[in-house]
Amino acid sequence: LPARVTLAHGGGGSAMRDLIDGVFRAAFADDGALPAAEDQARFDLAALAAKGDRLAFTTDGFVVDPLFFPGGDIGTLAVCGTINDLAVGGAVPVALSCAAIVEEGLPVEVLRRVAASMAQAARAAGVPIATGDTKVVARGACDKLFVTTTGIGVVRAGLDIGIDKARPGDVILVNGLLGDHGAAILNARGDLALETAIESDCAALDGLVAALIASAPGIRMMRDATRGGVAAVLNELAEASRVGVSVRELDLPIRPEVTGFCEILGLDPLYLANEGKLVAVVPAEEADAALAALRAHPLGRGAAAIGRVSDGRPGRVVMETRFGGARVVDMLVGDQLPRIC
Amino acid sequence: LPARVTLAHGGGGSAMRDLIDGVFRAAFADDGALPAAEDQARFDLAALAAKGDRLAFTTDGFVVDPLFFPGGDIGTLAVCGTINDLAVGGAVPVALSCAAIVEEGLPVEVLRRVAASMAQAARAAGVPIATGDTKVVARGACDKLFVTTTGIGVVRAGLDIGIDKARPGDVILVNGLLGDHGAAILNARGDLALETAIESDCAALDGLVAALIASAPGIRMMRDATRGGVAAVLNELAEASRVGVSVRELDLPIRPEVTGFCEILGLDPLYLANEGKLVAVVPAEEADAALAALRAHPLGRGAAAIGRVSDGRPGRVVMETRFGGARVVDMLVGDQLPRIC
Ligand SMILES: Nc1ncnc2c1ncn2[C@@H]1O[C@H](COP(=O)(O)OP(=O)(O)OP(=O)(O)O)[C@@H](O)[C@H]1O
Ligand SMILES: Nc1ncnc2c1ncn2[C@@H]1O[C@H](COP(=O)(O)OP(=O)(O)OP(=O)(O)O)[C@@H](O)[C@H]1O
Ligand SMILES: [Mg+2]
Ligand SMILES: [Mg+2]
Ligand SMILES: [Mg+2]
Ligand SMILES: [Mg+2]
Ligand SMILES: [Mg+2]
Ligand SMILES: [Mg+2]
């Protein structure tokens, strides 16, 4: 392969095949799931039905800038993000697709590193990258690289969760420190030269979710707190479930560096994107077991109960501040941070 | 909604939700498949298993320039292209996802037109767009709009087709005029001011494929001839099946305008992209029935037998020219036409 991607690598001819074979297949192939010369992966339906009763299907595009950052890169993000969207819906992930849009001139080595990260994250989760696509656009027509992953999974039989299922009295949990991903990306962009590099929390949560569901079978809903942060999830669940939500600022697990960072930039950590954090709502009587299960998992050591579902005004999220006051936490209106994921 | 897309429309907050609800959900929603507030579509596995024995999974990114062209737009392309990838693998399409990457400043009206085209194409094929994602990047970070669709489908029980299954003596069919899509895009770009606007052949081939399979149960393989054209498919099948392939130039159905167009630009119509044309290989004894079935379908009226699988040198595609000579048809090496799909 040449040092840089050329338009020929998207042309449908042998140069394209060389790039796909040399970069993507080479990275993904030992999963054994990429069929040799077909453009569709196939899965035995009887084997899928043995895992649960419904097929789950979800997609996300990734346009993060920069491509590489402390704690991950666009590849880890693309794999973990879609695994998480499957997991928080109660599905066991089965496979992913990878559609890359590449800017002419991108070093092939960059593509290799991203493909290696994708392969590594996928393998760690035991989820093959089973099919894909590669387009190349002229210099200037896209910024370096965009990756869209789509995931299929199987929802556990009988599991009935949803963002509309929260009930007054339920407890709201998170699995650890909030805002690290957003802060890591901003810091990596050099918007603020911090001494300490904050690492993204990017991680695949399917294992943690399995432990959580096992410990709290009455669980109401889960949602990963990506763009829009925890504030977006809380507002969505308050609205969809027609309940009030109250959280305590003092209970929010946030790194002092992130708090400091946000103060300087005038940001609110509740709106910062996370890529390995979920919000879960569980019935009060299952909260202790759920919290213990989260804390027993490597990705949930910093888990915390951050608030309660209330019979307050439906759709409204209220935070009890550290000074004892109360303020409404609205959904973010505009854009805090473009290209955060 | 404002007249143009802003970065806030990708921010994860309420502006984003307004855009998704106002544009994508508004267009797709009456399919009844977009779940209200979840980020994953769900399908009953028992119902899927009733349609066939294997789940098919395939993805394609679309970066066509211009977004709108005679015969279709990026939306029709994105829906038909992925339906075709499912269909040519023998699958009945079940659902699609839609991941859009939008450039800041794009008129919302453009997004609406594209979403309407997607909805229309999906509805015509009876395939819901069941989940999606929307990212916005700053002006200059992508060229207007890219759309990635992923499809799931169910492969007909027992059907055993593949690009490695062609046998000497088999007949090679196409379902109509070749090269229209590539010519339409080039013409729409104004690379050549032709008097007649050539229309893209963009179409969903799932119905045609169903008729073809019913008429030729011994069918070996099908492949839609997109980037790289018919030449790419013939080379791939010759290589994967370890057979020779011979085609007759006089049997290739090509519009005189497209032939003329190609002569002027020094292009070969065999390498031009199609978006509603497939190459099928059937056993000789099923060729007549297959051809009749194709011709009886609105999308196969111009179907033709273009050649044979031979015991010639494995992997080599030979064309008998209109002058009675023979020339090797190689796989395209470089890129004939960037951003054709
Ligand atoms: N980035 C990628 N990661 C993994 N597999 C890929 C990637 N890009 C392409 N592939 C695989 O390479 C093969 C060829 O893909 P290609 O896109 O040429 O097929 P196609 O979708 O039929 O054509 P087109 O995209 O022109 O419609 C397929 O098996 C596809 O799954
Ligand atoms: N272009 C689109 N077409 C159809 N549905 C869409 C589109 N964009 C978003 N959606 C739907 O809107 C809802 C919200 O999507 P969103 O991307 O915010 O969720 P998410 O994937 O959990 O978040 P993130 O993308 O930040 O990880 C989902 O139900 C999604 O399927
Ligand atoms: Mg998603
Ligand atoms: Mg997501
Ligand atoms: Mg493709
Ligand atoms: Mg494809
Ligand atoms: Mg395709
Ligand atoms: Mg999304």
Side-chain angles (χ1 to χ4, degrees):
Chain A
L1 288 172
R4 290 178 184 271
V5 175
T6 67
L7 287 175
H9 288 124
S14 58
M16 182 172 93
R17 208 172 60 177
D18 292 346
L19 184 80
I20 293 170
D21 287 349
V23 173
F24 294 106
R25 281 184 192 278
F28 304 159
D30 52 339
D31 297 330
L34 271 177
E38 303 299 328
D39 186 41
Q40 75 177 213
R42 298 194 185 122
F43 303 89
D44 184 67
L45 274 167
L48 295 182
K51 294 186 192 188
D53 54 6
R54 286 151 292 166
L55 185 79
F57 181 45
T58 187
T59 194
D60 265 333
F62 294 86
V63 297
V64 68
D65 177 38
L67 294 179
F68 302 94
F69 46 81
D73 60 37
I74 190 172
T76 16
L77 218 56
V79 167
C80 295
T82 292
I83 287 178
N84 292 348
D85 278 355
L86 289 170
V88 297
V92 179
V94 168
L96 301 178
S97 65
C98 160
I101 298 175
V102 187
E103 184 184 16
E104 178 192 16
L106 188 79
V108 170
E109 188 50 34
V110 166
L111 221 47
R112 274 194 216 284
R113 281 175 65 195
V114 171
S117 295
M118 293 187 75
Q120 194 186 0
R123 212 163 286 140
V127 183
I129 300 171
T131 189
D133 182 63
T134 306
K135 296 287 186 289
V136 180
V137 298
R139 222 176 276 265
C142 88
D143 185 17
K144 298 185 282 291
L145 174 65
F146 302 148
V147 177
T148 296
T149 49
T150 304
I152 52 173
V154 176
V155 184
R156 292 164 177 85
L159 184 68
D160 183 27
I161 59 175
I163 197 148
D164 57 341
K165 299 208 184 314
R167 293 290 160 264
D170 289 349
V171 175
I172 302 169
L173 309 172
V174 297
N175 64 311
L177 291 162
L178 303 179
D180 286 5
H181 178 73
I185 298 297
L186 274 183
N187 199 30
R189 281 187 199 156
D191 293 4
L192 197 73
L194 286 199
E195 305 251 315
T196 45
I198 300 176
E199 288 213 346
S200 166
D201 61 344
C202 184
L205 297 175
D206 55 325
L208 177 106
V209 164
L212 177 59
I213 292 175
S215 71
I219 186 164
R220 314 289 196 199
M221 64 79 63
M222 292 173 280
R223 187 62 65 91
D224 54 333
T226 54
R227 291 180 290 173
V230 167
V233 178
L234 296 177
N235 274 278
E236 281 172 25
L237 88 87
E239 192 187 350
S241 295
R242 299 159 195 273
V243 292
V245 160
S246 63
V247 291
R248 271 170 43 102
E249 187 170 19
L250 280 173
D251 291 336
L252 296 174
I254 302 175
R255 241 179 249 286
E257 299 95 297
V258 171
T259 309
F261 189 99
C262 282
E263 273 166 12
I264 298 170
L265 292 182
L267 300 172
D268 183 334
L270 266 189
Y271 296 97
L272 281 184
N274 308 274
E275 290 290 343
K277 294 295 146 45
L278 56 75
V279 174
V281 176
V282 297
E285 63 275 17
E286 295 182 353
D288 288 344
L291 203 53
L294 288 175
R295 288 186 175 151
H297 191 280
L299 296 172
R301 285 209 196 93
I306 63 166
R308 287 249 176 196
V309 179
S310 77
D311 52 10
R313 194 164 102 199
R316 190 159 68 174
V317 180
V318 179
M319 184 161 78
E320 183 186 318
T321 69
R322 69 185 74 191
F323 313 107
R327 69 171 176 87
V328 172
V329 177
D330 276 321
M331 187 109 165
L332 187 67
V333 176
D335 185 42
Q336 215 177 13
L337 314 162
R339 294 183 68 187
I340 209 75
C341 66
Chain B
L1 288 173
R4 290 178 183 271
V5 175
T6 66
L7 287 175
H9 289 125
S14 57
M16 182 172 92
R17 206 169 62 176
D18 292 346
L19 184 79
I20 293 171
D21 287 349
V23 174
F24 294 106
R25 281 183 193 279
F28 304 159
D30 51 339
D31 297 328
L34 271 177
E38 302 299 328
D39 185 40
Q40 75 178 212
R42 299 195 184 120
F43 304 89
D44 185 65
L45 273 167
L48 296 182
K51 295 187 192 187
D53 54 5
R54 287 150 291 166
L55 185 80
F57 181 45
T58 186
T59 195
D60 265 332
F62 294 85
V63 297
V64 67
D65 177 38
L67 294 179
F68 302 93
F69 46 82
D73 60 37
I74 191 172
T76 16
L77 218 56
V79 166
C80 295
T82 292
I83 287 178
N84 292 348
D85 278 355
L86 290 169
V88 297
V92 179
V94 168
L96 301 178
S97 65
C98 159
I101 298 175
V102 187
E103 184 183 16
E104 177 193 15
L106 188 79
V108 169
E109 190 49 35
V110 167
L111 221 47
R112 273 194 217 283
R113 281 175 63 195
V114 171
S117 295
M118 294 188 75
Q120 196 187 357
R123 213 164 286 139
V127 183
I129 300 171
T131 190
D133 182 63
T134 306
K135 295 287 185 291
V136 180
V137 298
R139 221 175 276 266
C142 87
D143 185 17
K144 298 184 282 291
L145 174 65
F146 302 148
V147 177
T148 296
T149 49
T150 304
I152 52 173
V154 176
V155 184
R156 292 165 176 85
L159 184 69
D160 185 25
I161 58 175
I163 196 146
D164 58 340
K165 299 208 186 311
R167 293 289 161 263
D170 289 349
V171 175
I172 302 170
L173 308 172
V174 297
N175 63 311
L177 291 162
L178 303 180
D180 286 4
H181 178 73
I185 298 296
L186 273 182
N187 199 30
R189 281 187 200 155
D191 292 5
L192 198 71
L194 286 199
E195 305 253 316
T196 45
I198 300 176
E199 286 213 351
S200 167
D201 61 343
C202 184
L205 297 175
D206 54 325
L208 178 104
V209 163
L212 177 59
I213 292 176
S215 71
I219 186 165
R220 315 288 196 200
M221 64 81 60
M222 292 172 280
R223 187 62 64 90
D224 54 332
T226 54
R227 291 180 289 174
V230 168
V233 177
L234 296 177
N235 274 279
E236 281 172 24
L237 88 86
E239 191 187 352
S241 294
R242 298 160 195 273
V243 292
V245 161
S246 62
V247 291
R248 271 170 45 102
E249 188 170 19
L250 280 173
D251 291 336
L252 297 174
I254 301 175
R255 240 180 250 286
E257 300 95 297
V258 172
T259 309
F261 190 96
C262 281
E263 273 166 12
I264 298 170
L265 292 182
L267 300 172
D268 183 334
L270 267 190
Y271 296 97
L272 282 184
N274 309 274
E275 291 289 344
K277 294 294 147 41
L278 56 75
V279 174
V281 176
V282 297
E285 63 275 18
E286 295 183 354
D288 288 344
L291 203 52
L294 289 176
R295 288 186 176 151
H297 192 279
L299 296 173
R301 285 207 197 95
I306 63 166
R308 287 251 176 194
V309 178
S310 77
D311 52 10
R313 193 164 103 199
R316 191 160 67 174
V317 180
V318 179
M319 183 161 80
E320 184 186 319
T321 69
R322 68 185 75 190
F323 312 109
R327 69 171 176 86
V328 172
V329 178
D330 277 321
M331 187 110 166
L332 186 68
V333 176
D335 185 41
Q336 214 175 15
L337 313 162
R339 294 183 68 187
I340 209 77
C341 65

